[in-house]
Amino acid sequence: MNDTDNIFQRICEDRDTLSRAFRQIADFLIAEPREFITNPMRVLSEKIGVSEPTLIRFARHYGYQGLPDLRLSFAMSLATRDTDVAADMEPRLKDKEVVNRIAKQMIAAKAAELTAQDQSLLLDSGSTTQFLAENLVSAPAKTILTTSLNSVLILRNAEQHRLMMPGGIFRHAAMSLAGRMAEMNLADMTFDTAYIGADTLHPEHGISTYSEEEAHLNRAMIRASKRVVVLADASKFKGPALHRICDLSDVDIIVSDSTLSSQVRSAIEATSTELILAELSLPNLELEDTHE
């Protein structure tokens, strides 16, 4: 995959040499970046006037498997240019669920092993923590508070658990609750572990997310927990710092995958944060389906 910092610039530079259909996509992407990032493929196809297969071919032209990972990379390239602008262009949860899906599922399975120590836990609204919720359906009884509506739907029939939500403002792109109400409801509560995701992670700059509102809520979750576990696939270690959640020193365990670079591994292992890696083979990576 191409460097996320360059994709916006590359498309701008390529514009005049692209085919007519690809030029239509490029023009729309440049003029309406938020629409490009947040609209379903079907809607984009209608707005731009090209077919859905053409959108996929455009993504593959730039080295991506499909539209979701192009859009995540494009959003990250915008974040590099202006974090405040990027906050209004948070990628769709459906895109996040698809991109690096196998890695996220393997990470979630590893994190599920850690929950054996928990009687109570917090789950944030990330795509990887949503996969963790799937692993908890048949787990022994726990008290689970989550900000994710999708995780509630996943766990709704797991009657052994005591399932809670904190209230708050509905965030459409993330299918989650956030805001002051949610933070206040966490203020007087204590949980064994908070399992949170991240949009970017850097050994020096810490953990960050597209949404400033979500960053505030994640910090409240951290304060309400005795242990903090961050779930982040290897791609999350390549992006710029966004809205900061916390420093690495505030995290007890990072669960990532075995494609994480040796340089990043060494940097994390030099800190007090434990690093756990889910084994991920190259054949598994090739099976991913990034069609919307």
Side-chain angles (χ1 to χ4, degrees):
M1 184 179 292
N2 297 299
D3 186 343
T4 58
D5 293 348
N6 294 333
I7 187 60
F8 179 80
Q9 181 180 347
R10 284 194 63 203
I11 292 172
C12 290
E13 291 174 350
D14 290 351
R15 190 266 176 198
D16 292 340
T17 64
L18 296 173
S19 66
R20 182 180 61 82
F22 280 13
R23 195 179 311 130
Q24 286 176 243
I25 298 171
D27 287 345
F28 186 89
L29 178 152
I30 294 166
E32 303 287 351
R34 186 180 186 280
E35 295 289 311
F36 182 79
I37 290 169
T38 61
N39 276 301
M41 186 187 298
R42 174 184 54 79
V43 175
L44 276 182
S45 174
E46 294 171 356
K47 284 179 176 287
I48 300 173
V50 298
S51 67
E52 293 182 24
T54 301
L55 285 167
I56 295 170
R57 286 196 297 272
F58 180 84
R60 290 177 175 170
H61 175 76
Y62 283 98
Y64 299 93
Q65 290 184 310
L67 187 64
D69 50 338
L70 167 61
R71 296 204 294 194
L72 290 182
S73 183
F74 179 58
M76 195 63 71
S77 73
L78 293 177
T80 304
R81 300 161 68 91
D82 190 332
T83 302
D84 291 331
V85 170
D88 190 45
M89 301 183 192
E90 184 177 2
R92 302 167 68 234
L93 181 58
K94 286 186 177 294
D95 284 351
K96 293 181 179 181
E97 290 170 354
V98 170
V99 175
N100 298 324
R101 184 182 184 91
I102 294 173
K104 291 174 180 179
Q105 289 173 327
M106 299 294 286
I107 289 167
K110 273 289 184 185
E113 297 173 9
L114 299 174
T115 66
Q117 305 176 37
D118 302 320
Q119 292 185 331
S120 62
L121 58 90
L122 288 165
L123 288 180
D124 88 342
S125 59
S127 56
T128 313
T129 52
Q130 187 172 299
F131 289 126
L132 174 56
E134 294 178 357
N135 282 269
L136 295 176
V137 170
S138 58
K142 303 179 188 301
T143 295
I144 301 172
L145 187 149
T146 181
T147 57
S148 165
L149 273 69
N150 284 343
S151 290
V152 168
L153 292 174
I154 291 166
L155 292 164
R156 68 187 184 280
N157 293 324
E159 296 183 3
Q160 75 275 25
H161 298 313
R162 184 185 181 204
L163 194 57
M164 305 167 64
M165 296 196 78
I169 299 169
F170 178 55
R171 297 176 61 231
H172 291 270
M175 282 295 290
S176 69
L177 300 174
R180 291 291 298 166
M181 182 186 298
E183 293 173 41
M184 290 172 62
N185 286 339
L186 286 169
D188 297 322
M189 305 178 79
T190 302
F191 293 81
D192 291 322
T193 305
Y195 294 87
I196 64 175
D199 287 314
T200 65
L201 195 155
H202 190 281
E204 294 179 6
H205 303 145
I207 300 160
S208 59
T209 180
Y210 279 97
S211 168
E212 184 175 11
E213 193 172 43
E214 185 175 17
H216 282 293
L217 181 55
N218 283 158
R219 287 196 290 273
M221 296 174 80
I222 290 169
R223 289 193 296 270
S225 302
K226 301 173 186 176
R227 182 175 68 159
V228 178
V229 177
V230 172
L231 284 58
D233 67 84
S235 70
K236 302 295 179 63
F237 293 78
K238 302 173 184 176
L242 302 171
H243 291 286
R244 180 179 167 277
I245 296 173
C246 66
D247 291 328
L248 211 60
S249 59
D250 297 314
V251 177
D252 296 288
I253 301 172
I254 294 172
V255 186
S256 188
D257 64 77
S258 57
T259 66
L260 192 64
S261 72
S262 58
Q263 181 179 4
V264 173
R265 292 188 198 191
S266 298
I268 295 172
E269 289 166 353
T271 71
S272 60
T273 302
E274 181 182 356
L275 178 64
I276 298 175
L277 298 178
E279 189 62 36
L280 194 65
S281 64
L282 290 176
N284 280 344
L285 288 174
E286 292 169 0
L287 291 174
E288 296 210 36
D289 180 7
T290 59
H291 290 193
E292 187 172 283

